[in-house]
């Protein structure tokens, strides 16, 4: 029975969010709550020579100033500080650990006071002296020192030879600056201390169980002594995948003072956390005159810290996506005096595919072929890296439906050939690709005789709609109206879930719910069959479904037993089941989502002001669980892509190794005036191989390709190719 899956069901948590009933990490309360304020390093590299907190400690209401000199004990080994998603190589950051300074914005002291304003004021009175060392924060200057990251991808063919022999060649470097996530909700933790030393930690995170394990390890606590809760998350974009330093500091404060502590970072302090690494991408494409590719080289140099090697797959997409007998990828890392880079909005793909799809556009220009036509000539029904088929790939349909909705056939190929009054008009397109990932996840269902089900799982809903899709899947698999389903998420004591990221949660959580619902059905069937003269006597598990509050025979709808009757006859009033769903290991198929993105820009010819007036995003992402939340996911991702193309850029003053625009006044993100018409198309993509429900996951696929489509449109409008993002108006005037 499918009543809810695939519909535009409104968010089940929508009312709680708009009424303010939904509580976020910094809003939980406790008696005697203390407030923390962080002091950050003003230098990027060196050591703390002296800290004088005496003046701060004299302020009324200030309880303590914690530093590396007087903090409680924390773990010492690198292993103890490695969370579930920490890079394999390196030594994770530890706040207030010792006198070493590794980046500007590093926390060096924590003021704890009776009130937030007092804590913040007192923080301004703490005197810190540093011994400075020379620092490096400029990727362009350090690029030659970058080292090659080990990657499994093997080169194929002889790319140098093929490139040299190509009829048409395109080679260029593209640049994506450092970007910060800037979720609406600030990073915050409220730690509730109970007299037995147990901690309840309300934390802004994409993974409560990751934070729980990490805190137990760092503070040498038993699993039962730390509970991490995060029912609602005000956005994260990947910044909440790893535990952030404020949660360590809040716990440190609670342990030091045996009190409850709340710590909320300022917007400025959030620029001391992870970020999308600045990346230099070099593409070299060699083609035959007929527009088929024969050589793809993609090299990337990305930023990481001096102490951990974070990297993602930027270059592999190029060799994967298009047919080419010869291909090579190389990923390098440059270690700078900055925090470790991190996952942000389709990490690797948003950047790598921006470069690839810009280069493909340049190649199309060189070949004088339509950009879509070029992609069709290189189209591959196989994963070119592995030589295996996809579980499904309806990218051709994305090109077709997207082009039709956009009106691509009316495009004049020459740059500067389309106008609207005083504005130049440009049309560009790009391909997007992401992975369809899925992870082992558990769910618990408690079904009561009155036909109400509570479904629980430790997963977070970072705003993507997890509560809602889980309620839909539960309602359909249990045969109940959605109003009878309640969902509990974001608590480390609930059944096991991975961090919410990588667009894997929809598939992972849905199958956990479906697998557990099956267990509920089995027990109900046993009860129903035990009834005297049971209408379901002899029925096998495969023969029945749950629908309208009843167990119903698939062959004969009149043979049915209500949930209430089955439980009453069994003399029980609830059924509780918990099951972990594991996806079978299957390397015979590639699992990916795809998109075709079309963008229209209008550019004031005199001033160079760019408006993205239209975007059409056609997505092939398997089964869409909820048309409304899925649409929102893609629309939001397109807005992120507009930001990447035109606005977002973290600017450094390399002399001081400091960020110059650590706030959302000067770090530009798209606002309403920057966002015009966005049309989202979901291409029908049935997939019986990827997983039983055919779910691939959406969200990240929505940003991949957007920046390239816009950059390509800007070229088409102006004839100027800007290869370093963001495309600001000064770059069009050069
Ligand atoms: Mo996403 S960058 O995996 O939260």
């Amino acid at each position: 029975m499918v009543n809810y899956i695939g519909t535009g069901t409104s968010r089940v948590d929508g009312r709680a969010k708009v009424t303010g009933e939904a509580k976020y990490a910094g809003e939980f309360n406790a008696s005697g709550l203390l407030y923390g304020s962080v002091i950050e390093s003003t230098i990027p590299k060196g050591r703390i020579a002296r800290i004088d907190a005496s003046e701060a400690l004299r302020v009324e209401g200030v309880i303590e100033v914690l530093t590396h000199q007087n903090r409680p004990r924390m773990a010492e080994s690198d292993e103890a500080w490695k969370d579930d998603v920490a890079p394999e190589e390196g030594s994770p950051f530890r706040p207030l650990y010792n006198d070493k300074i590794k980046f500007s914005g590093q926390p060096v002291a924590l003021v704890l006071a009776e009130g937030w304003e007092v804590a913040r004021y007192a923080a301004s009175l703490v005197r810190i002296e540093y011994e400075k060392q020379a620092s490096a924060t400029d990727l362009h200057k350090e690029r030659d020192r970058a080292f090659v990251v080990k990657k499994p991808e093997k080169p194929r063919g002889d790319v140098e030879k093929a490139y040299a022999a190509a009829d048409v060649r395109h080679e260029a470097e593209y640049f994506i600056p450092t970007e910060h996530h800037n979720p609406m909700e600030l990073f915050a933790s409220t730690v509730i201390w109970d007299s037995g030393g147990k901690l309840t930690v309300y934390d802004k995170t994409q993974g409560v169980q990751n934070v729980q394990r990490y805190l137990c390890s760092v503070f040498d606590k038993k699993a039962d002594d730390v509970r991490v809760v995060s029912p609602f998350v005000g956005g994260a974009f990947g910044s909440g995948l790893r535990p952030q330093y404020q949660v360590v500091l809040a716990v440190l404060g609670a342990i030091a003072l045996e009190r409850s502590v709340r710590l909320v970072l300022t917007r400025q302090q959030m620029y001391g956390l992870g970020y999308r690494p600045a990346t230099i991408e070099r593409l070299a494409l060699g083609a035959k005159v007929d527009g088929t590719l024969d050589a793809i080289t993609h090299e990337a140099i990305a930023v990481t810290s001096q102490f951990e090697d974070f990297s993602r797959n930027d270059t592999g997409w190029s060799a994967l996506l298009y047919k080419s007998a010869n291909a090579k990828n190389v990923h390098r890392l440059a270690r700078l005096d900055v925090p470790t880079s991190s996952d942000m909005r389709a990490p690797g793909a948003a950047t790598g595919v921006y470069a690839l799809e810009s280069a493909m556009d340049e190649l199309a220009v060189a070949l004088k072929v339509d950009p879509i036509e070029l992609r069709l000539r290189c189209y591959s029904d196989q994963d070119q890296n592995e030589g295996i088929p996809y579980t499904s790939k309806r990218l051709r349909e994305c090109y077709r439906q997207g082009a039709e909705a956009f009106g691509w056939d009316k495009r004049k190929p020459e740059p500067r050939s389309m106008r609207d009054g005083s504005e130049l008009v440009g049309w560009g397109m790009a391909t997007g690709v992401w992975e369809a990932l899925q992870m082992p996840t558990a769910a618990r269902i408690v079904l009561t005789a009155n036909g109400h089900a509570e479904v629980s799982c430790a997963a977070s809903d970072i705003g993507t709609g997890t509560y809602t899709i889980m309620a839909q899947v539960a309602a359909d698999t249990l045969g109940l109206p959605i109003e009878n389903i309640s969902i509990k998420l974001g608590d480390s004591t609930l059944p096991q879930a991975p961090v919410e990221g990588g667009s894997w949660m929809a598939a992972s959580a849905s199958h956990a719910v479906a697998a557990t619902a099956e267990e509920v059905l089995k027990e109900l069937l046993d009860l129903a069959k035990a009834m005297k003269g049971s209408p379901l006597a002899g029925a096998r598990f495969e023969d029945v479904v749950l629908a309208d509050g009843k167990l119903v025979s698939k062959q004969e709808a009149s043979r049915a037993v209500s949930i209430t009757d089955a439980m009453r006859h069994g003399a029980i009033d609830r059924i509780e089941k918990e099951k972990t769903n594991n996806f079978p290991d299957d390397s015979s198929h590639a699992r990916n989502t795809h998109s075709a993105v079309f963008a229209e820009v209008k550019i004031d010819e005199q001033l160079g002001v760019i408006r993205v007036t239209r975007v059409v995003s056609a997505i092939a992402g398997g089964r869409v669980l909820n048309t409304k939340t899925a649409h929102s996911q893609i629309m939001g991702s397109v807005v992120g892509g507009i930001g990447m193309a035109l606005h977002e850029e973290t600017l450094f003053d390399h002399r001081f190794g400091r960020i110059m625009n650590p706030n959302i006044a000067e770090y530009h993100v798209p606002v309403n005036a920057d966002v015009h018409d966005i049309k989202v198309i979901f291409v029908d993509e049935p997939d019986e191989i990827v997983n039983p429900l055919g779910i691939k996951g959406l969200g990240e696929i929505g940003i991949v390709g957007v920046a390239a489509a816009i950059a390509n449109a800007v070229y088409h409008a102006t004839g100027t190719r800007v290869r370093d993002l963001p495309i600001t108006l000064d770059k069009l005037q050069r």
Side-chain angles (χ1 to χ4, degrees):
M1 282 298 270
V2 175
N3 290 315
Y4 298 99
I5 293 176
T7 66
T9 300
S10 290
R11 284 173 189 268
V12 296
D13 53 335
R15 181 178 293 268
K17 281 190 165 173
V18 297
T19 56
E21 191 192 310
K23 275 179 143 187
Y24 294 80
E27 298 182 313
F28 289 87
N29 237 317
S31 61
L33 187 67
L34 292 179
Y35 296 78
S37 180
V38 175
I39 303 171
E40 321 110 76
S41 162
T42 55
I43 65 158
K45 190 176 187 178
R47 62 174 289 271
I48 303 166
R50 209 170 73 90
I51 300 184
D52 178 1
S54 54
E55 203 182 330
L57 286 164
R58 282 198 292 273
V59 175
E60 194 183 327
V62 172
I63 310 294
E64 180 62 288
V65 178
L66 287 179
T67 68
H68 66 280
Q69 292 162 327
N70 65 348
R71 62 161 172 84
R73 216 191 75 79
M74 296 189 286
E76 279 157 28
S77 75
D78 287 341
E79 236 19 71
W81 287 86
K82 280 195 181 166
D83 68 277
D84 294 357
V85 283
E88 273 168 42
E89 300 296 321
S91 168
F93 175 68
R94 311 126 194 245
L96 308 193
Y97 192 72
N98 57 26
D99 63 350
K100 299 260 184 315
I101 299 296
K102 298 174 172 184
F103 55 88
S104 179
Q106 174 179 329
V108 292
L110 175 68
V111 178
L112 292 152
E114 305 281 358
W116 156 242
E117 293 83 357
V118 175
R120 214 170 161 188
Y121 168 65
S124 74
L125 303 176
V126 176
R127 310 268 167 253
I128 302 175
E129 286 168 27
Y130 298 98
E131 280 167 18
K132 241 191 254 184
Q133 288 172 4
S135 63
T137 52
D138 187 348
L139 174 62
H140 297 293
K141 282 201 176 140
E142 300 302 314
R143 60 181 293 167
D144 295 337
R145 268 198 275 264
F147 61 96
V148 175
V149 179
K150 269 184 260 140
K151 287 274 165 187
E153 297 116 25
K154 35 197 184 301
R156 57 178 185 264
D158 183 339
V159 80
E160 275 84 15
K161 202 172 134 200
Y163 184 74
D167 297 331
V168 179
R169 283 183 285 270
H170 166 70
E171 198 223 316
E173 258 185 26
Y174 302 85
F175 179 68
I176 303 97
T178 292
E179 297 168 359
H180 278 81
H181 306 76
N182 280 301
M184 272 205 287
E185 184 196 9
L186 300 166
F187 270 88
S189 306
T190 304
V191 178
I192 312 294
W193 172 269
D194 91 11
S195 50
K198 290 200 179 193
L199 303 174
T200 304
V201 181
Y202 295 95
D203 189 37
K204 177 199 172 81
T205 175
Q206 292 175 240
V208 284
Q209 291 179 329
N210 184 26
V211 173
Q212 194 267 352
R213 283 190 284 271
Y214 171 81
L215 291 175
C216 287
S217 165
V218 166
F219 292 101
D220 196 19
K221 292 261 183 201
K222 291 202 288 290
D224 284 349
D225 290 347
V226 181
R227 176 180 170 206
V228 178
V229 185
S230 182
F232 295 99
V233 181
F237 306 122
S239 59
L241 288 169
R242 300 187 68 184
Q244 296 292 8
Y245 73 69
Q246 95 288 338
V247 74
V248 176
L249 294 185
V251 171
L252 206 57
I255 290 173
L257 302 176
E258 305 199 339
R259 303 257 312 251
S260 297
V261 171
R262 176 189 296 164
L263 178 55
V264 182
L265 297 188
T266 62
R267 179 63 61 180
Q268 180 165 356
Q269 286 165 347
M270 286 175 48
Y271 287 75
L273 308 176
Y275 52 89
R276 190 199 290 292
T279 309
I280 299 166
E281 313 258 358
R282 180 181 160 268
L283 261 294
L285 302 177
K288 299 199 182 80
V289 268
D290 66 1
T292 56
L293 278 168
D294 202 31
I296 304 174
T297 303
H298 189 161
E299 296 182 298
I301 309 174
V303 170
T304 192
S305 64
Q306 300 283 5
F307 47 92
E308 271 182 310
D309 296 344
F310 172 86
S311 70
R312 283 290 176 256
N313 169 24
D314 275 69
T315 58
W317 309 104
S318 297
L320 163 104
L321 196 54
Y322 296 119
K323 250 186 220 161
S324 172
N326 306 285
K328 191 173 97 175
N329 317 313
V330 185
H331 193 92
R332 290 187 175 82
L333 279 178
R335 293 191 180 124
L336 304 181
D337 297 305
V338 291
T340 305
S341 46
S342 75
D343 288 311
M344 176 171 160
R345 307 177 195 150
T351 45
V353 175
Y354 152 70
L356 169 66
E357 289 299 290
S358 298
M360 285 293 279
D361 197 68
E362 299 205 53
L363 184 67
V365 170
L367 285 162
K368 296 193 171 54
V369 1
D370 179 85
I372 300 178
E373 180 55 32
L374 173 62
R375 285 156 176 90
L376 291 174
R377 287 183 198 173
C378 308
Y379 195 90
S380 174
D381 288 307
Q382 288 207 329
D383 171 335
Q384 287 283 308
N385 279 332
E386 303 297 330
I388 51 174
Y390 291 95
T391 60
S392 60
K393 180 178 175 180
R394 289 276 174 100
L395 176 57
R396 268 183 220 281
E397 269 303 291
C398 295
Y399 292 135
R400 199 185 64 72
Q401 291 184 30
E404 190 181 304
F406 189 82
W408 186 259
D409 60 343
K410 291 177 204 70
R411 181 180 185 264
K412 295 184 197 150
E414 279 304 303
R416 305 181 66 87
S417 62
M418 292 169 67
R419 284 182 173 270
D420 179 5
S422 64
E423 288 177 309
L424 295 162
V425 175
W427 289 4
M429 61 79 58
T431 310
V433 55
W434 185 246
E435 297 172 275
L437 298 163
Q438 43 197 22
M439 306 282 263
T441 302
R444 184 185 305 137
I445 296 178
V446 178
L447 177 69
T448 41
N450 60 0
H452 181 273
E454 184 186 86
V455 181
S456 56
C457 172
S460 299
D461 182 341
I462 61 171
T464 44
T466 310
Y467 277 104
T468 309
I469 57 154
M470 286 179 74
Q472 291 175 272
V473 174
D476 282 355
T477 51
L478 295 169
L480 295 172
I482 202 163
E483 296 75 26
N484 290 22
I485 309 289
S486 52
I487 307 285
K488 271 177 36 183
L489 298 176
D491 182 332
S492 62
T493 60
L494 296 176
Q496 170 250 322
V499 294
E500 172 155 70
S503 302
W504 59 54
M505 196 50 90
S508 307
S510 296
H511 287 88
V513 172
T516 312
E518 219 173 85
E519 298 301 305
V520 173
L521 185 150
K522 282 179 190 163
E523 178 156 349
L524 278 172
L525 181 60
D526 286 344
L527 295 172
K529 280 163 55 171
M531 289 164 63
K532 214 176 236 151
S534 172
L536 293 173
R540 288 167 314 168
F541 149 72
E542 310 83 66
D543 301 332
V544 291
V545 287
L546 280 162
D548 302 326
K550 290 179 291 209
L551 264 176
V552 187
S553 158
K554 283 183 193 166
Q555 289 85 15
E556 211 183 317
S558 62
R559 289 172 58 200
V561 174
S562 77
I563 290 173
T564 315
D565 285 347
M567 285 207 205
R568 190 182 325 124
H569 280 85
I572 57 169
D573 59 4
R574 68 207 296 268
I575 291 174
E576 178 173 340
K577 295 285 174 195
E578 180 176 331
K579 185 152 192 213
T580 303
N581 179 67
N582 290 297
F583 295 92
D585 243 353
D586 176 12
S587 52
S588 63
H589 287 83
R591 300 148 186 274
N592 289 87
T593 51
H594 293 90
S595 70
V597 190
F598 297 81
E600 175 184 85
V601 297
K602 292 193 176 172
I603 302 178
D604 182 292
E605 199 174 359
Q606 251 82 57
L607 298 174
V609 175
I610 306 167
R611 296 186 300 138
V612 180
T613 43
R614 288 195 298 137
V615 175
V616 173
S617 174
I619 305 280
R623 170 181 275 182
V624 174
L625 285 165
N626 182 319
T627 51
K628 202 186 238 182
T629 54
H631 181 271
S632 294
Q633 283 286 286
I634 302 302
M635 206 166 56
S637 292
V638 168
V639 173
I642 294 172
M644 191 177 167
L646 302 183
H647 307 123
E648 297 192 52
E649 178 174 27
T650 303
L651 294 158
F652 283 81
D653 186 330
H654 297 300
R655 292 170 304 168
F656 305 104
R658 275 173 79 77
I659 295 170
M660 296 193 287
N661 58 343
N663 56 71
I664 41 181
E666 292 163 292
Y667 179 101
H668 293 170
V669 295
V671 297
N672 280 338
D674 298 308
V675 177
H676 298 276
D677 189 19
I678 298 173
K679 185 175 173 59
V680 179
I681 297 167
F682 290 107
V683 166
D684 191 35
E685 191 179 59
D687 191 327
E688 288 176 359
I689 305 170
V690 68
N691 52 48
L693 292 169
I695 302 167
K696 284 185 165 181
L698 298 166
E700 284 167 301
I701 183 58
I703 189 173
V704 184
V706 177
I710 293 170
N712 297 341
V714 169
Y715 170 77
H716 181 237
T718 61
T720 302
R721 182 68 67 172
V722 179
R723 300 191 183 91
D724 55 329
L725 297 181
I727 307 171
T728 46
L729 50 90
D730 55 303
K731 293 176 187 171
L732 288 180
Q733 308 290 1
R734 276 178 203 161

